[in-house]
């Protein structure tokens, strides 16, 4: 089973936060129709919600979705879930940066993220996550 929340944009950019049954961590996936990323390539991603400290990963890994679109995904450990979701729930804007890649920053609205966070938490709890 899977719990997830996602947001797309008019520019065909997509962000998803997913939790898989039996895995206490959660996964963040990103894609944009214009990306050309090879499977397994590594990319630094900096995710910032409002004025909170940035979430930086050098572990974002290139992949392809079932529709063939290129994407990046990375995992956030279970111990950071509560902090991440508190920031997500309370923020009004999420910014994604891709240092060294030449890709432009993404800025996404988080309007309604409190209700989305509540539904995501309920789904995770139904799968046995704390």
């Amino acid at each position: 089973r899977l719990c997830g929340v996602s947001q797309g944009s008019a520019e065909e950019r997509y962000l998803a936060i997913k939790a898989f049954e039996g895995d206490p961590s959660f996964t963040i996936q990103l894609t944009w129709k214009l990306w050309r990323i090879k499977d397994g390539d590594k990319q630094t991603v900096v995710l910032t919600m409002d004025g909170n400290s940035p979430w930086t990963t050098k572990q974002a890994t290139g992949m392809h979705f079932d529709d063939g679109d290129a994407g990046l995904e990375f995992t956030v450990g279970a111990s950071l879930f509560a902090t991440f979701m508190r920031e997500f729930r309370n923020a009004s804007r999420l910014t994604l940066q891709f240092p060294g890649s030449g890709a432009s920053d993404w800025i996404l609205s988080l309007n309604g993220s409190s209700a989305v966070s509540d539904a995501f938490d309920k789904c995770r709890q139904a799968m046995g996550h704390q």
Side-chain angles (χ1 to χ4, degrees):
R1 294 187 306 174
L2 163 74
C3 297
V5 297
S6 64
Q7 181 182 20
S9 72
E11 299 88 21
E12 298 189 56
R13 298 176 187 188
Y14 169 85
L15 164 88
I17 303 171
K18 297 179 179 180
F20 296 92
E21 186 174 31
D23 185 349
S25 62
F26 62 101
T27 300
I28 297 177
Q29 294 178 328
L30 312 165
T31 188
W32 185 23
K33 291 278 186 192
L34 300 180
W35 275 353
R36 301 294 175 253
I37 300 169
K38 294 180 183 175
D39 290 349
D41 280 359
K42 301 293 184 191
Q43 172 64 50
T44 300
V45 176
V46 179
L47 183 152
T48 308
M49 293 177 270
D50 286 350
N52 294 299
S53 296
W55 294 77
T56 303
T57 180
K58 294 183 182 189
Q59 302 303 318
T61 302
M63 46 80 77
H64 283 80
F65 292 91
D66 290 341
D67 65 2
D69 287 347
L72 291 168
E73 69 178 356
F74 59 95
T75 301
V76 179
S79 65
L80 300 173
F81 180 79
T83 302
F84 184 92
M85 290 310 291
R86 184 186 72 250
E87 291 180 13
F88 183 80
R89 175 179 279 112
N90 295 322
S92 61
R93 183 171 92 168
L94 182 145
T95 303
L96 290 158
Q97 298 171 298
F98 309 92
S101 71
S104 60
D105 295 354
W106 295 12
I107 299 174
L108 302 171
S109 170
L110 291 180
N111 290 338
S113 61
S114 182
V116 168
S117 297
D118 290 344
F120 188 63
D121 280 343
K122 286 178 185 174
C123 181
R124 287 183 75 251
Q125 288 171 10
M127 288 194 317
H129 294 278
Q130 298 301 320

